[in-house]
Amino acid sequence: MTRSGGSALTLTTFAALAVIVAMPLLFVLLQAVFPRLAEASFAQPFGAFAQAFGDTRILQLAANTAGLGLGVCIAALLLALPLALLRGLTRLPGAALWDAAFLVPIMIPPYVGAFAWVLMLQPGGYSSQLTGVHAGQLVFSVPGIVLVMALHLFPVIYFAASCAFAAIGARYAEAARVCGASAARTLIRVTLPLAAPSLAAALLLVFALTIEEYGTPATLGAQAGFEVLVTAIEERMNDHPIDIPGAALLSLVLVVLALLAYFAQQRLLSRGSHSTVTGRAAQPVLIELGPWTWAAQALFALVALAATLLPIAAVVLTASTRTLSGGIAADNFTSTHFVHILNNNGGALGALGTSLGLAAGAALCTGVLGSLIAWITTRTEAPGRRAVDALSVLPNAIPGMVVAVGLILAWNQSWWPVTIYNTVAILLVAYVCLLLPYPVRYVGAGLRQISTSLDAAARVCGAGTGRMLRTVLLPLTAPHLLVAMAVVFAIATRELVTSVMLAPPGVKTVATFVFRQFEQGSPAMGMAMSVVAIFTSTGLLIAMHLVGRRLGAETA
């Protein structure tokens, strides 16, 4: 590591993080402590605490949110773990196709997926029309909300765990079996402990994504009488009379829940570490499924049917019908809604262009800033690098709703000479804040695989910090960076919470356009927009993936 150079970059990066990450959270805290902050007054400190925490409803909201997060984590783990074990440790036919199938739920916006399940399972829905069976009582219940969210988020655990199991391989399990351990004991004492870090990280991410999700609880929870912190915050910020101190306090409770989950994960991992001592990974030893192949294929097919095929079918069917009441009938199918989208009715193309532009901007900004952070924290000993590292992981514990509230409070102040409030720029800042950890992690992992001797060689040849970053490290980490930017792009195109809260008047994104169509009773238009957005973003992601693979081949 180098001790000199990078100080200016570190200071600039820290300043950017302070504005993008720390400032929103600071203003949430200030607003919670000083209820009259919006009036530029620090009077009556803690004045809102007694009223807010004296209301037993806040305890119920916190319990509902924590219970939903834990329930989705358990359900997603039960779905993902058997699939990940089969994918990582066995010779599974068609494994790449199953991976592609399980990518689709991540690409479907959660609120669109939730509404698709309503259309599929409600009385008179598609399931009822085709089979005479419906599950309206399930979908509008707390278990239904948990199941819908688990089907959307289980791929997060599946991909992390299957990669971990593949890296571990079956050879350690075989050694344990030779020593007399049963299959269950081998799984519990050998395979799962080695994969624990990946599983814990994935479960933490699922918990965070669950407690910050607005669309699914808002869509399904209203009829179930189930309210969570995110929906309560949105209500306080958008319904009259507006309760800004109350929203700030609920936001702090949400942050506390996320931090508790993070500390629980760290405590779980600190109880013991498990690692292999063989150095470089050996050629993986895959278990032959033999007569169990068909059972494994059936399990994958069943989950793919529930998580991928049924929601996509409901989305496409709804987008292709004249009216919902007309049902599945030949004379009810139409392409009118897609024509309306392409004709920019209701500003549809403008919303798509805004989302794609913001997603591209977020991918570029997080890519540049995240790469600098990764370099500072892994390759330098510059003063302040620990503070940069701490601020870079803070977004993991800040739900999207909290970021939105914090940005409103921070930038809606009269003393700013120039403000980004009520401009598209505030949406870009929100996306960058929420999605910054992705490039930091991906690029950081790539940098750790590159010898520091290359840095030294570049400096010996007279290259400065900027030239060394541009000509040596950037080409080598480009595949990792492109993957991270693709993930940021995909998530940003469907981000709902911050878009609903922060979009200035007259500005629409795909998320707000679709959500408003649902609210206004035009689900077909909303679903048509979803189809166009999903296929557009997926096509761009495939193109980025191909470029990343080409760059990886060239730098290999």
Side-chain angles (χ1 to χ4, degrees), residues 504-536:
V507 174
K508 298 177 182 178
T509 65
V510 167
T512 58
F513 180 91
V514 173
F515 199 71
R516 298 310 179 201
Q517 293 297 319
F518 290 167
E519 287 186 329
Q520 295 166 11
S522 302
M525 275 287 287
M527 290 302 194
M529 179 61 146
S530 299
V531 172
V532 172
I534 289 170
F535 281 100
T536 301

mmCIF file of all heavy atoms in Angstrom, residues 504-536:
data_model
loop_
_atom_site.group_PDB
_atom_site.id
_atom_site.type_symbol
_atom_site.label_atom_id
_atom_site.label_comp_id
_atom_site.label_asym_id
_atom_site.label_seq_id
_atom_site.Cartn_x
_atom_site.Cartn_y
_atom_site.Cartn_z
ATOM 1 N N PRO A 504 -40.079 15.827 -8.469
ATOM 2 C CA PRO A 504 -40.671 17.164 -8.517
ATOM 3 C C PRO A 504 -41.951 17.176 -9.334
ATOM 4 O O PRO A 504 -42.204 16.260 -10.126
ATOM 5 C CB PRO A 504 -39.576 18.015 -9.174
ATOM 6 C CG PRO A 504 -38.669 17.061 -9.850
ATOM 7 C CD PRO A 504 -38.791 15.752 -9.155
ATOM 8 N N PRO A 505 -42.785 18.190 -9.166
ATOM 9 C CA PRO A 505 -44.040 18.262 -9.927
ATOM 10 C C PRO A 505 -43.782 18.204 -11.427
ATOM 11 O O PRO A 505 -42.885 18.881 -11.942
ATOM 12 C CB PRO A 505 -44.614 19.629 -9.508
ATOM 13 C CG PRO A 505 -44.013 19.913 -8.175
ATOM 14 C CD PRO A 505 -42.641 19.306 -8.208
ATOM 15 N N GLY A 506 -44.558 17.381 -12.110
ATOM 16 C CA GLY A 506 -44.434 17.264 -13.551
ATOM 17 C C GLY A 506 -43.393 16.279 -14.021
ATOM 18 O O GLY A 506 -43.307 15.998 -15.218
ATOM 19 N N VAL A 507 -42.585 15.748 -13.104
ATOM 20 C CA VAL A 507 -41.551 14.782 -13.472
ATOM 21 C C VAL A 507 -42.023 13.379 -13.096
ATOM 22 O O VAL A 507 -42.404 13.136 -11.952
ATOM 23 C CB VAL A 507 -40.211 15.098 -12.773
ATOM 24 C CG1 VAL A 507 -39.192 13.995 -13.051
ATOM 25 C CG2 VAL A 507 -39.680 16.439 -13.235
ATOM 26 N N LYS A 508 -42.017 12.486 -14.071
ATOM 27 C CA LYS A 508 -42.445 11.113 -13.835
ATOM 28 C C LYS A 508 -41.295 10.162 -14.131
ATOM 29 O O LYS A 508 -40.502 10.389 -15.043
ATOM 30 C CB LYS A 508 -43.635 10.752 -14.739
ATOM 31 C CG LYS A 508 -44.875 11.576 -14.510
ATOM 32 C CD LYS A 508 -45.962 11.185 -15.505
ATOM 33 C CE LYS A 508 -47.207 12.040 -15.327
ATOM 34 N NZ LYS A 508 -48.261 11.705 -16.317
ATOM 35 N N THR A 509 -41.220 9.114 -13.332
ATOM 36 C CA THR A 509 -40.324 8.003 -13.636
ATOM 37 C C THR A 509 -41.192 6.788 -13.947
ATOM 38 O O THR A 509 -42.423 6.833 -13.806
ATOM 39 C CB THR A 509 -39.407 7.690 -12.447
ATOM 40 O OG1 THR A 509 -40.202 7.215 -11.344
ATOM 41 C CG2 THR A 509 -38.628 8.928 -12.014
ATOM 42 N N VAL A 510 -40.560 5.708 -14.375
ATOM 43 C CA VAL A 510 -41.322 4.477 -14.631
ATOM 44 C C VAL A 510 -42.068 4.060 -13.378
ATOM 45 O O VAL A 510 -43.252 3.691 -13.427
ATOM 46 C CB VAL A 510 -40.375 3.358 -15.105
ATOM 47 C CG1 VAL A 510 -41.086 2.008 -15.075
ATOM 48 C CG2 VAL A 510 -39.874 3.645 -16.509
ATOM 49 N N ALA A 511 -41.398 4.115 -12.233
ATOM 50 C CA ALA A 511 -42.016 3.669 -10.984
ATOM 51 C C ALA A 511 -43.236 4.514 -10.631
ATOM 52 O O ALA A 511 -44.305 3.983 -10.300
ATOM 53 C CB ALA A 511 -40.994 3.713 -9.852
ATOM 54 N N THR A 512 -43.098 5.844 -10.687
ATOM 55 C CA THR A 512 -44.231 6.697 -10.324
ATOM 56 C C THR A 512 -45.344 6.591 -11.354
ATOM 57 O O THR A 512 -46.532 6.628 -11.001
ATOM 58 C CB THR A 512 -43.780 8.160 -10.183
ATOM 59 O OG1 THR A 512 -43.199 8.609 -11.424
ATOM 60 C CG2 THR A 512 -42.744 8.295 -9.083
ATOM 61 N N PHE A 513 -44.998 6.464 -12.640
ATOM 62 C CA PHE A 513 -46.017 6.323 -13.687
ATOM 63 C C PHE A 513 -46.850 5.062 -13.442
ATOM 64 O O PHE A 513 -48.084 5.100 -13.459
ATOM 65 C CB PHE A 513 -45.352 6.261 -15.064
ATOM 66 C CG PHE A 513 -46.325 6.118 -16.208
ATOM 67 C CD1 PHE A 513 -46.834 7.242 -16.839
ATOM 68 C CD2 PHE A 513 -46.735 4.866 -16.659
ATOM 69 C CE1 PHE A 513 -47.741 7.121 -17.882
ATOM 70 C CE2 PHE A 513 -47.633 4.735 -17.698
ATOM 71 C CZ PHE A 513 -48.141 5.858 -18.317
ATOM 72 N N VAL A 514 -46.176 3.932 -13.227
ATOM 73 C CA VAL A 514 -46.882 2.665 -13.019
ATOM 74 C C VAL A 514 -47.721 2.723 -11.754
ATOM 75 O O VAL A 514 -48.893 2.318 -11.747
ATOM 76 C CB VAL A 514 -45.880 1.498 -12.959
ATOM 77 C CG1 VAL A 514 -46.583 0.196 -12.575
ATOM 78 C CG2 VAL A 514 -45.167 1.331 -14.299
ATOM 79 N N PHE A 515 -47.125 3.231 -10.669
ATOM 80 C CA PHE A 515 -47.836 3.261 -9.388
ATOM 81 C C PHE A 515 -49.071 4.148 -9.475
ATOM 82 O O PHE A 515 -50.133 3.803 -8.939
ATOM 83 C CB PHE A 515 -46.898 3.750 -8.284
ATOM 84 C CG PHE A 515 -47.366 3.406 -6.896
ATOM 85 C CD1 PHE A 515 -47.328 2.096 -6.445
ATOM 86 C CD2 PHE A 515 -47.852 4.383 -6.049
ATOM 87 C CE1 PHE A 515 -47.758 1.773 -5.168
ATOM 88 C CE2 PHE A 515 -48.283 4.075 -4.783
ATOM 89 C CZ PHE A 515 -48.235 2.761 -4.327
ATOM 90 N N ARG A 516 -48.967 5.286 -10.143
ATOM 91 C CA ARG A 516 -50.121 6.184 -10.283
ATOM 92 C C ARG A 516 -51.199 5.555 -11.176
ATOM 93 O O ARG A 516 -52.393 5.746 -10.934
ATOM 94 C CB ARG A 516 -49.690 7.530 -10.873
ATOM 95 C CG ARG A 516 -48.704 8.320 -10.017
ATOM 96 C CD ARG A 516 -49.143 8.458 -8.587
ATOM 97 N NE ARG A 516 -48.175 9.205 -7.800
ATOM 98 C CZ ARG A 516 -48.075 9.161 -6.488
ATOM 99 N NH1 ARG A 516 -48.900 8.387 -5.784
ATOM 100 N NH2 ARG A 516 -47.163 9.874 -5.842
ATOM 101 N N GLN A 517 -50.783 4.802 -12.191
ATOM 102 C CA GLN A 517 -51.767 4.114 -13.028
ATOM 103 C C GLN A 517 -52.556 3.108 -12.195
ATOM 104 O O GLN A 517 -53.770 2.970 -12.354
ATOM 105 C CB GLN A 517 -51.077 3.402 -14.196
ATOM 106 C CG GLN A 517 -50.434 4.326 -15.224
ATOM 107 C CD GLN A 517 -51.443 5.214 -15.922
ATOM 108 O OE1 GLN A 517 -52.539 4.791 -16.274
ATOM 109 N NE2 GLN A 517 -51.073 6.478 -16.128
ATOM 110 N N PHE A 518 -51.875 2.401 -11.319
ATOM 111 C CA PHE A 518 -52.573 1.469 -10.429
ATOM 112 C C PHE A 518 -53.558 2.216 -9.535
ATOM 113 O O PHE A 518 -54.706 1.786 -9.351
ATOM 114 C CB PHE A 518 -51.564 0.722 -9.539
ATOM 115 C CG PHE A 518 -50.698 -0.267 -10.295
ATOM 116 C CD1 PHE A 518 -49.582 -0.818 -9.695
ATOM 117 C CD2 PHE A 518 -50.994 -0.643 -11.591
ATOM 118 C CE1 PHE A 518 -48.781 -1.724 -10.369
ATOM 119 C CE2 PHE A 518 -50.200 -1.537 -12.287
ATOM 120 C CZ PHE A 518 -49.093 -2.083 -11.668
ATOM 121 N N GLU A 519 -53.114 3.339 -8.967
ATOM 122 C CA GLU A 519 -53.967 4.111 -8.073
ATOM 123 C C GLU A 519 -55.184 4.679 -8.800
ATOM 124 O O GLU A 519 -56.266 4.797 -8.223
ATOM 125 C CB GLU A 519 -53.168 5.256 -7.441
ATOM 126 C CG GLU A 519 -52.179 4.811 -6.378
ATOM 127 C CD GLU A 519 -51.521 5.998 -5.695
ATOM 128 O OE1 GLU A 519 -51.359 7.039 -6.370
ATOM 129 O OE2 GLU A 519 -51.192 5.897 -4.510
ATOM 130 N N GLN A 520 -55.022 5.024 -10.079
ATOM 131 C CA GLN A 520 -56.100 5.643 -10.847
ATOM 132 C C GLN A 520 -57.003 4.629 -11.532
ATOM 133 O O GLN A 520 -57.892 5.004 -12.299
ATOM 134 C CB GLN A 520 -55.493 6.592 -11.887
ATOM 135 C CG GLN A 520 -54.751 7.779 -11.285
ATOM 136 C CD GLN A 520 -53.889 8.512 -12.296
ATOM 137 O OE1 GLN A 520 -53.984 8.273 -13.503
ATOM 138 N NE2 GLN A 520 -53.038 9.415 -11.813
ATOM 139 N N GLY A 521 -56.781 3.351 -11.280
ATOM 140 C CA GLY A 521 -57.638 2.319 -11.855
ATOM 141 C C GLY A 521 -57.321 1.987 -13.297
ATOM 142 O O GLY A 521 -58.217 1.543 -14.033
ATOM 143 N N SER A 522 -56.074 2.181 -13.727
ATOM 144 C CA SER A 522 -55.666 1.821 -15.088
ATOM 145 C C SER A 522 -54.513 0.819 -15.035
ATOM 146 O O SER A 522 -53.398 1.117 -15.495
ATOM 147 C CB SER A 522 -55.237 3.065 -15.863
ATOM 148 O OG SER A 522 -56.269 4.020 -15.908
ATOM 149 N N PRO A 523 -54.753 -0.359 -14.456
ATOM 150 C CA PRO A 523 -53.648 -1.315 -14.294
ATOM 151 C C PRO A 523 -53.066 -1.795 -15.614
ATOM 152 O O PRO A 523 -51.875 -2.111 -15.684
ATOM 153 C CB PRO A 523 -54.293 -2.468 -13.515
ATOM 154 C CG PRO A 523 -55.758 -2.363 -13.814
ATOM 155 C CD PRO A 523 -56.030 -0.899 -13.949
ATOM 156 N N ALA A 524 -53.886 -1.857 -16.667
ATOM 157 C CA ALA A 524 -53.375 -2.344 -17.952
ATOM 158 C C ALA A 524 -52.288 -1.424 -18.495
ATOM 159 O O ALA A 524 -51.258 -1.885 -19.012
ATOM 160 C CB ALA A 524 -54.514 -2.477 -18.958
ATOM 161 N N MET A 525 -52.505 -0.109 -18.389
ATOM 162 C CA MET A 525 -51.484 0.843 -18.831
ATOM 163 C C MET A 525 -50.220 0.703 -17.984
ATOM 164 O O MET A 525 -49.093 0.748 -18.491
ATOM 165 C CB MET A 525 -52.012 2.272 -18.742
ATOM 166 C CG MET A 525 -52.801 2.719 -19.953
ATOM 167 S SD MET A 525 -51.740 3.040 -21.395
ATOM 168 C CE MET A 525 -50.969 4.573 -20.902
ATOM 169 N N GLY A 526 -50.422 0.541 -16.679
ATOM 170 C CA GLY A 526 -49.276 0.364 -15.787
ATOM 171 C C GLY A 526 -48.483 -0.881 -16.128
ATOM 172 O O GLY A 526 -47.250 -0.871 -16.154
ATOM 173 N N MET A 527 -49.187 -1.985 -16.396
ATOM 174 C CA MET A 527 -48.503 -3.234 -16.728
ATOM 175 C C MET A 527 -47.821 -3.142 -18.089
ATOM 176 O O MET A 527 -46.732 -3.703 -18.286
ATOM 177 C CB MET A 527 -49.495 -4.390 -16.714
ATOM 178 C CG MET A 527 -50.001 -4.757 -15.326
ATOM 179 S SD MET A 527 -48.657 -5.200 -14.203
ATOM 180 C CE MET A 527 -49.586 -5.970 -12.871
ATOM 181 N N ALA A 528 -48.447 -2.462 -19.045
ATOM 182 C CA ALA A 528 -47.805 -2.283 -20.360
ATOM 183 C C ALA A 528 -46.503 -1.504 -20.210
ATOM 184 O O ALA A 528 -45.478 -1.849 -20.825
ATOM 185 C CB ALA A 528 -48.757 -1.559 -21.312
ATOM 186 N N MET A 529 -46.535 -0.468 -19.394
ATOM 187 C CA MET A 529 -45.315 0.290 -19.139
ATOM 188 C C MET A 529 -44.265 -0.596 -18.466
ATOM 189 O O MET A 529 -43.066 -0.516 -18.785
ATOM 190 C CB MET A 529 -45.636 1.494 -18.258
ATOM 191 C CG MET A 529 -44.434 2.342 -17.924
ATOM 192 S SD MET A 529 -43.653 3.049 -19.390
ATOM 193 C CE MET A 529 -43.108 4.611 -18.752
ATOM 194 N N SER A 530 -44.696 -1.465 -17.556
ATOM 195 C CA SER A 530 -43.773 -2.364 -16.871
ATOM 196 C C SER A 530 -43.111 -3.313 -17.854
ATOM 197 O O SER A 530 -41.898 -3.563 -17.773
ATOM 198 C CB SER A 530 -44.512 -3.164 -15.790
ATOM 199 O OG SER A 530 -45.074 -2.316 -14.825
ATOM 200 N N VAL A 531 -43.890 -3.862 -18.788
ATOM 201 C CA VAL A 531 -43.332 -4.774 -19.792
ATOM 202 C C VAL A 531 -42.269 -4.064 -20.624
ATOM 203 O O VAL A 531 -41.165 -4.586 -20.846
ATOM 204 C CB VAL A 531 -44.449 -5.336 -20.700
ATOM 205 C CG1 VAL A 531 -43.846 -6.125 -21.863
ATOM 206 C CG2 VAL A 531 -45.382 -6.231 -19.886
ATOM 207 N N VAL A 532 -42.597 -2.849 -21.099
ATOM 208 C CA VAL A 532 -41.638 -2.089 -21.910
ATOM 209 C C VAL A 532 -40.375 -1.807 -21.107
ATOM 210 O O VAL A 532 -39.248 -1.985 -21.593
ATOM 211 C CB VAL A 532 -42.273 -0.777 -22.405
ATOM 212 C CG1 VAL A 532 -41.225 0.104 -23.083
ATOM 213 C CG2 VAL A 532 -43.419 -1.068 -23.362
ATOM 214 N N ALA A 533 -40.536 -1.369 -19.848
ATOM 215 C CA ALA A 533 -39.378 -1.026 -19.024
ATOM 216 C C ALA A 533 -38.529 -2.249 -18.703
ATOM 217 O O ALA A 533 -37.293 -2.196 -18.744
ATOM 218 C CB ALA A 533 -39.847 -0.357 -17.726
ATOM 219 N N ILE A 534 -39.185 -3.370 -18.380
ATOM 220 C CA ILE A 534 -38.445 -4.597 -18.030
ATOM 221 C C ILE A 534 -37.615 -5.072 -19.210
ATOM 222 O O ILE A 534 -36.425 -5.387 -19.073
ATOM 223 C CB ILE A 534 -39.413 -5.698 -17.556
ATOM 224 C CG1 ILE A 534 -39.982 -5.345 -16.177
ATOM 225 C CG2 ILE A 534 -38.712 -7.054 -17.508
ATOM 226 C CD1 ILE A 534 -41.110 -6.249 -15.734
ATOM 227 N N PHE A 535 -38.222 -5.126 -20.397
ATOM 228 C CA PHE A 535 -37.486 -5.617 -21.562
ATOM 229 C C PHE A 535 -36.404 -4.626 -21.997
ATOM 230 O O PHE A 535 -35.322 -5.039 -22.447
ATOM 231 C CB PHE A 535 -38.446 -5.913 -22.709
ATOM 232 C CG PHE A 535 -39.162 -7.225 -22.560
ATOM 233 C CD1 PHE A 535 -40.468 -7.270 -22.090
ATOM 234 C CD2 PHE A 535 -38.523 -8.414 -22.861
ATOM 235 C CE1 PHE A 535 -41.128 -8.474 -21.931
ATOM 236 C CE2 PHE A 535 -39.177 -9.628 -22.714
ATOM 237 C CZ PHE A 535 -40.483 -9.663 -22.248
ATOM 238 N N THR A 536 -36.680 -3.317 -21.865
ATOM 239 C CA THR A 536 -35.663 -2.329 -22.228
ATOM 240 C C THR A 536 -34.454 -2.427 -21.311
ATOM 241 O O THR A 536 -33.302 -2.490 -21.766
ATOM 242 C CB THR A 536 -36.252 -0.909 -22.158
ATOM 243 O OG1 THR A 536 -37.362 -0.815 -23.048
ATOM 244 C CG2 THR A 536 -35.203 0.131 -22.544
#
